[in-house]
Amino acid sequence: MTRSTTGPAATDPLPSPKERRRLREARELSERQVAAAVGVTAATVRAWETGRASPRGRRRAAYSRLIGCAEPRTAPSRPGKESGRGTMSTVEPDALPAPDAPTPDGPTTDRPVPGGATLATPTPGGTGPAPQPGSLTAEEAYDDLYGRTAPGLTRQVFLLTGHRGLAVEAVQHAFTIAWQRWPEVATDRDPAGWVRAASYEYAMSPWHRLRRSHRRTDPLPEDPARRALLDAILGLPPSYRRTLLLHDGVGLGLPETAAETEASTHAAACRLLNARAAVAELLPAPADAADPGTGPAPLREPLAALSLAEEVPAPPAARVVRARGERVAELWTRAALYFGVVLIGATAFTLHTAPTHYEEPLAPAERVGGVPPLGGPEKLTPQDLKLQKALKGELAHGPERLVPRIP
């Protein structure tokens, strides 16, 4: 049996596991410090932040107050404010990237770019007043999330993989799973982040390398600057590429980026800085080059310009994705039922035809060779036959007593 990750109802409901970790790191608390304050081990705190378990009772209330999930969210940092909280092995502390993106509870996670478009996926409430929980049906809420998230998410996945077809496929796959698990997605603190994580995981799966159509990337842009930028991004390791896109492209802060990439904040900062440095080495002359002492410059505007300049196929309508998800779920349900019927039938047939006791098998007959054709005593010669006849004519009790004859 698997352990339930949902504890009893509490006064202050806990956020998602990723949000718990983000809140803890925002307060600059380590797992050991939280464990000592709550009265558990560091492994238990790690299980709470990965979703394998959830606190209960007094520990749940203490943990909720400690990470501050019931308190009002802090205002987003102003652009340009640096948030380095430790020394880096490759750069100075002042060169750490700034978590200058609003939190999921803020107005939006979009970052304005030239032309009025956005590279990030907007969250509910990004444009206009947020709909009330009971004012929309499940289909309407899903269609609203799809319409505001799918176009920007498709462009993100294209920058992540370099495949336009794979970008559309990944977004459709993520929204198909989201419709199948809509109660879970609808109650999540960041539905757009849930879909984004599912899209990234599907798009970066190493199994796509086995597909012939995905062994090579799509043709690069004709513009030399955009071609060099996209080529530099696709040349990064997958973890660096994802971290760079989430922080500089989507606009997430370091704690959110680290939680979504399942890495520590320090590791996410190192990946981000190394990715910026690698891209800066391949670009001829970045427009927003930073001073050598402050580290590589962010790539927000180049990424947004590259995303807007590329032609990415438009995602299908939301009702088409919903219908596809329902059809896939129906096919899997039927397949499971058919497999269960076949398994039950095979088991019943085996029980009916199987023997009830063990019968020792008879060994097959084999021809014996190498034995002489004649066996036993040999045939009697005429002398032997004469002697045998003479012996039979004598008395049965033995020969007569011999009397010596005296001459």
Side-chain angles (χ1 to χ4, degrees), residues 9-26:
T11 305
D12 298 329
L14 290 177
S16 61
K18 291 183 179 180
E19 185 67 13
R20 300 172 195 174
R21 176 179 176 178
R22 193 199 68 79
L23 291 173
R24 175 181 62 79
E25 293 181 348

PDB file of all heavy atoms in Angstrom, residues 9-26:
ATOM      1  N   ALA A   9      -7.638  17.534   7.553  1.00  0.00           N
ATOM      2  CA  ALA A   9      -7.889  18.944   7.280  1.00  0.00           C
ATOM      3  C   ALA A   9      -7.308  19.793   8.380  1.00  0.00           C
ATOM      4  O   ALA A   9      -7.395  19.501   9.553  1.00  0.00           O
ATOM      5  CB  ALA A   9      -9.389  19.187   7.147  1.00  0.00           C
ATOM      6  N   ALA A  10      -6.698  20.889   8.039  1.00  0.00           N
ATOM      7  CA  ALA A  10      -6.072  21.787   8.994  1.00  0.00           C
ATOM      8  C   ALA A  10      -6.623  23.185   8.802  1.00  0.00           C
ATOM      9  O   ALA A  10      -7.303  23.485   7.833  1.00  0.00           O
ATOM     10  CB  ALA A  10      -4.552  21.790   8.839  1.00  0.00           C
ATOM     11  N   THR A  11      -6.280  24.058   9.763  1.00  0.00           N
ATOM     12  CA  THR A  11      -6.772  25.427   9.675  1.00  0.00           C
ATOM     13  C   THR A  11      -6.156  26.132   8.477  1.00  0.00           C
ATOM     14  O   THR A  11      -6.841  26.830   7.727  1.00  0.00           O
ATOM     15  CB  THR A  11      -6.433  26.163  10.971  1.00  0.00           C
ATOM     16  OG1 THR A  11      -6.967  25.426  12.076  1.00  0.00           O
ATOM     17  CG2 THR A  11      -7.025  27.564  10.963  1.00  0.00           C
ATOM     18  N   ASP A  12      -4.857  25.967   8.294  1.00  0.00           N
ATOM     19  CA  ASP A  12      -4.151  26.575   7.169  1.00  0.00           C
ATOM     20  C   ASP A  12      -3.736  25.477   6.202  1.00  0.00           C
ATOM     21  O   ASP A  12      -2.831  24.695   6.497  1.00  0.00           O
ATOM     22  CB  ASP A  12      -2.912  27.332   7.660  1.00  0.00           C
ATOM     23  CG  ASP A  12      -3.295  28.478   8.591  1.00  0.00           C
ATOM     24  OD1 ASP A  12      -4.384  29.037   8.391  1.00  0.00           O
ATOM     25  OD2 ASP A  12      -2.506  28.779   9.510  1.00  0.00           O
ATOM     26  N   PRO A  13      -4.396  25.360   5.044  1.00  0.00           N
ATOM     27  CA  PRO A  13      -4.019  24.302   4.106  1.00  0.00           C
ATOM     28  C   PRO A  13      -2.612  24.523   3.591  1.00  0.00           C
ATOM     29  O   PRO A  13      -2.196  25.649   3.318  1.00  0.00           O
ATOM     30  CB  PRO A  13      -5.072  24.435   2.997  1.00  0.00           C
ATOM     31  CG  PRO A  13      -5.554  25.847   3.085  1.00  0.00           C
ATOM     32  CD  PRO A  13      -5.492  26.203   4.552  1.00  0.00           C
ATOM     33  N   LEU A  14      -1.893  23.435   3.457  1.00  0.00           N
ATOM     34  CA  LEU A  14      -0.517  23.509   2.982  1.00  0.00           C
ATOM     35  C   LEU A  14      -0.485  23.664   1.473  1.00  0.00           C
ATOM     36  O   LEU A  14      -1.351  23.123   0.761  1.00  0.00           O
ATOM     37  CB  LEU A  14       0.255  22.252   3.394  1.00  0.00           C
ATOM     38  CG  LEU A  14       0.570  22.108   4.882  1.00  0.00           C
ATOM     39  CD1 LEU A  14       1.268  20.790   5.125  1.00  0.00           C
ATOM     40  CD2 LEU A  14       1.427  23.256   5.378  1.00  0.00           C
ATOM     41  N   PRO A  15       0.514  24.365   0.935  1.00  0.00           N
ATOM     42  CA  PRO A  15       0.643  24.474  -0.525  1.00  0.00           C
ATOM     43  C   PRO A  15       1.197  23.187  -1.114  1.00  0.00           C
ATOM     44  O   PRO A  15       1.415  22.194  -0.426  1.00  0.00           O
ATOM     45  CB  PRO A  15       1.620  25.654  -0.684  1.00  0.00           C
ATOM     46  CG  PRO A  15       2.431  25.639   0.568  1.00  0.00           C
ATOM     47  CD  PRO A  15       1.499  25.163   1.654  1.00  0.00           C
ATOM     48  N   SER A  16       1.460  23.223  -2.399  1.00  0.00           N
ATOM     49  CA  SER A  16       2.015  22.067  -3.083  1.00  0.00           C
ATOM     50  C   SER A  16       3.443  21.817  -2.597  1.00  0.00           C
ATOM     51  O   SER A  16       4.090  22.697  -2.025  1.00  0.00           O
ATOM     52  CB  SER A  16       2.014  22.301  -4.593  1.00  0.00           C
ATOM     53  OG  SER A  16       2.811  23.419  -4.922  1.00  0.00           O
ATOM     54  N   PRO A  17       3.972  20.593  -2.808  1.00  0.00           N
ATOM     55  CA  PRO A  17       5.342  20.310  -2.345  1.00  0.00           C
ATOM     56  C   PRO A  17       6.386  21.276  -2.890  1.00  0.00           C
ATOM     57  O   PRO A  17       7.288  21.709  -2.162  1.00  0.00           O
ATOM     58  CB  PRO A  17       5.578  18.877  -2.827  1.00  0.00           C
ATOM     59  CG  PRO A  17       4.216  18.265  -2.880  1.00  0.00           C
ATOM     60  CD  PRO A  17       3.311  19.384  -3.312  1.00  0.00           C
ATOM     61  N   LYS A  18       6.301  21.642  -4.163  1.00  0.00           N
ATOM     62  CA  LYS A  18       7.268  22.579  -4.728  1.00  0.00           C
ATOM     63  C   LYS A  18       7.164  23.948  -4.057  1.00  0.00           C
ATOM     64  O   LYS A  18       8.174  24.623  -3.818  1.00  0.00           O
ATOM     65  CB  LYS A  18       7.059  22.712  -6.236  1.00  0.00           C
ATOM     66  CG  LYS A  18       7.433  21.472  -7.023  1.00  0.00           C
ATOM     67  CD  LYS A  18       7.271  21.714  -8.507  1.00  0.00           C
ATOM     68  CE  LYS A  18       7.679  20.486  -9.305  1.00  0.00           C
ATOM     69  NZ  LYS A  18       7.527  20.717 -10.758  1.00  0.00           N
ATOM     70  N   GLU A  19       5.916  24.359  -3.751  1.00  0.00           N
ATOM     71  CA  GLU A  19       5.741  25.652  -3.106  1.00  0.00           C
ATOM     72  C   GLU A  19       6.272  25.625  -1.676  1.00  0.00           C
ATOM     73  O   GLU A  19       6.780  26.636  -1.169  1.00  0.00           O
ATOM     74  CB  GLU A  19       4.254  26.034  -3.121  1.00  0.00           C
ATOM     75  CG  GLU A  19       3.951  27.418  -2.571  1.00  0.00           C
ATOM     76  CD  GLU A  19       4.515  28.526  -3.444  1.00  0.00           C
ATOM     77  OE1 GLU A  19       4.926  28.238  -4.587  1.00  0.00           O
ATOM     78  OE2 GLU A  19       4.542  29.678  -2.976  1.00  0.00           O
ATOM     79  N   ARG A  20       6.164  24.484  -1.000  1.00  0.00           N
ATOM     80  CA  ARG A  20       6.723  24.380   0.353  1.00  0.00           C
ATOM     81  C   ARG A  20       8.239  24.614   0.330  1.00  0.00           C
ATOM     82  O   ARG A  20       8.789  25.325   1.167  1.00  0.00           O
ATOM     83  CB  ARG A  20       6.416  23.000   0.943  1.00  0.00           C
ATOM     84  CG  ARG A  20       4.945  22.669   1.053  1.00  0.00           C
ATOM     85  CD  ARG A  20       4.753  21.230   1.467  1.00  0.00           C
ATOM     86  NE  ARG A  20       3.391  20.772   1.252  1.00  0.00           N
ATOM     87  CZ  ARG A  20       2.992  19.507   1.420  1.00  0.00           C
ATOM     88  NH1 ARG A  20       3.857  18.598   1.835  1.00  0.00           N
ATOM     89  NH2 ARG A  20       1.739  19.176   1.190  1.00  0.00           N
ATOM     90  N   ARG A  21       8.884  23.982  -0.639  1.00  0.00           N
ATOM     91  CA  ARG A  21      10.327  24.156  -0.729  1.00  0.00           C
ATOM     92  C   ARG A  21      10.685  25.595  -1.072  1.00  0.00           C
ATOM     93  O   ARG A  21      11.637  26.159  -0.519  1.00  0.00           O
ATOM     94  CB  ARG A  21      10.875  23.201  -1.778  1.00  0.00           C
ATOM     95  CG  ARG A  21      12.360  23.361  -2.021  1.00  0.00           C
ATOM     96  CD  ARG A  21      12.835  22.381  -3.052  1.00  0.00           C
ATOM     97  NE  ARG A  21      14.231  22.588  -3.354  1.00  0.00           N
ATOM     98  CZ  ARG A  21      14.926  21.845  -4.204  1.00  0.00           C
ATOM     99  NH1 ARG A  21      14.347  20.839  -4.805  1.00  0.00           N
ATOM    100  NH2 ARG A  21      16.192  22.086  -4.445  1.00  0.00           N
ATOM    101  N   ARG A  22       9.903  26.209  -1.963  1.00  0.00           N
ATOM    102  CA  ARG A  22      10.194  27.588  -2.340  1.00  0.00           C
ATOM    103  C   ARG A  22      10.038  28.521  -1.147  1.00  0.00           C
ATOM    104  O   ARG A  22      10.857  29.437  -0.929  1.00  0.00           O
ATOM    105  CB  ARG A  22       9.256  28.028  -3.462  1.00  0.00           C
ATOM    106  CG  ARG A  22       9.678  29.332  -4.134  1.00  0.00           C
ATOM    107  CD  ARG A  22       8.513  29.945  -4.867  1.00  0.00           C
ATOM    108  NE  ARG A  22       7.494  30.395  -3.930  1.00  0.00           N
ATOM    109  CZ  ARG A  22       7.570  31.526  -3.247  1.00  0.00           C
ATOM    110  NH1 ARG A  22       8.616  32.315  -3.357  1.00  0.00           N
ATOM    111  NH2 ARG A  22       6.606  31.870  -2.410  1.00  0.00           N
ATOM    112  N   LEU A  23       9.001  28.299  -0.339  1.00  0.00           N
ATOM    113  CA  LEU A  23       8.791  29.140   0.831  1.00  0.00           C
ATOM    114  C   LEU A  23       9.911  28.958   1.855  1.00  0.00           C
ATOM    115  O   LEU A  23      10.358  29.923   2.486  1.00  0.00           O
ATOM    116  CB  LEU A  23       7.432  28.827   1.452  1.00  0.00           C
ATOM    117  CG  LEU A  23       6.197  29.241   0.637  1.00  0.00           C
ATOM    118  CD1 LEU A  23       4.934  28.719   1.287  1.00  0.00           C
ATOM    119  CD2 LEU A  23       6.130  30.738   0.477  1.00  0.00           C
ATOM    120  N   ARG A  24      10.355  27.709   2.028  1.00  0.00           N
ATOM    121  CA  ARG A  24      11.441  27.476   2.987  1.00  0.00           C
ATOM    122  C   ARG A  24      12.722  28.162   2.541  1.00  0.00           C
ATOM    123  O   ARG A  24      13.419  28.808   3.347  1.00  0.00           O
ATOM    124  CB  ARG A  24      11.670  25.967   3.139  1.00  0.00           C
ATOM    125  CG  ARG A  24      12.870  25.625   4.026  1.00  0.00           C
ATOM    126  CD  ARG A  24      13.066  24.136   4.128  1.00  0.00           C
ATOM    127  NE  ARG A  24      13.348  23.520   2.852  1.00  0.00           N
ATOM    128  CZ  ARG A  24      14.527  23.535   2.253  1.00  0.00           C
ATOM    129  NH1 ARG A  24      15.551  24.156   2.816  1.00  0.00           N
ATOM    130  NH2 ARG A  24      14.699  22.928   1.087  1.00  0.00           N
ATOM    131  N   GLU A  25      13.058  28.034   1.247  1.00  0.00           N
ATOM    132  CA  GLU A  25      14.280  28.665   0.760  1.00  0.00           C
ATOM    133  C   GLU A  25      14.153  30.180   0.740  1.00  0.00           C
ATOM    134  O   GLU A  25      15.161  30.888   0.883  1.00  0.00           O
ATOM    135  CB  GLU A  25      14.602  28.138  -0.631  1.00  0.00           C
ATOM    136  CG  GLU A  25      14.986  26.666  -0.639  1.00  0.00           C
ATOM    137  CD  GLU A  25      15.333  26.184  -2.028  1.00  0.00           C
ATOM    138  OE1 GLU A  25      15.058  26.915  -2.987  1.00  0.00           O
ATOM    139  OE2 GLU A  25      15.879  25.065  -2.137  1.00  0.00           O
ATOM    140  N   ALA A  26      12.942  30.703   0.559  1.00  0.00           N
ATOM    141  CA  ALA A  26      12.758  32.151   0.601  1.00  0.00           C
ATOM    142  C   ALA A  26      13.034  32.705   1.998  1.00  0.00           C
ATOM    143  O   ALA A  26      13.470  33.854   2.143  1.00  0.00           O
ATOM    144  CB  ALA A  26      11.339  32.524   0.157  1.00  0.00           C
TER     145      ALA A  26
END
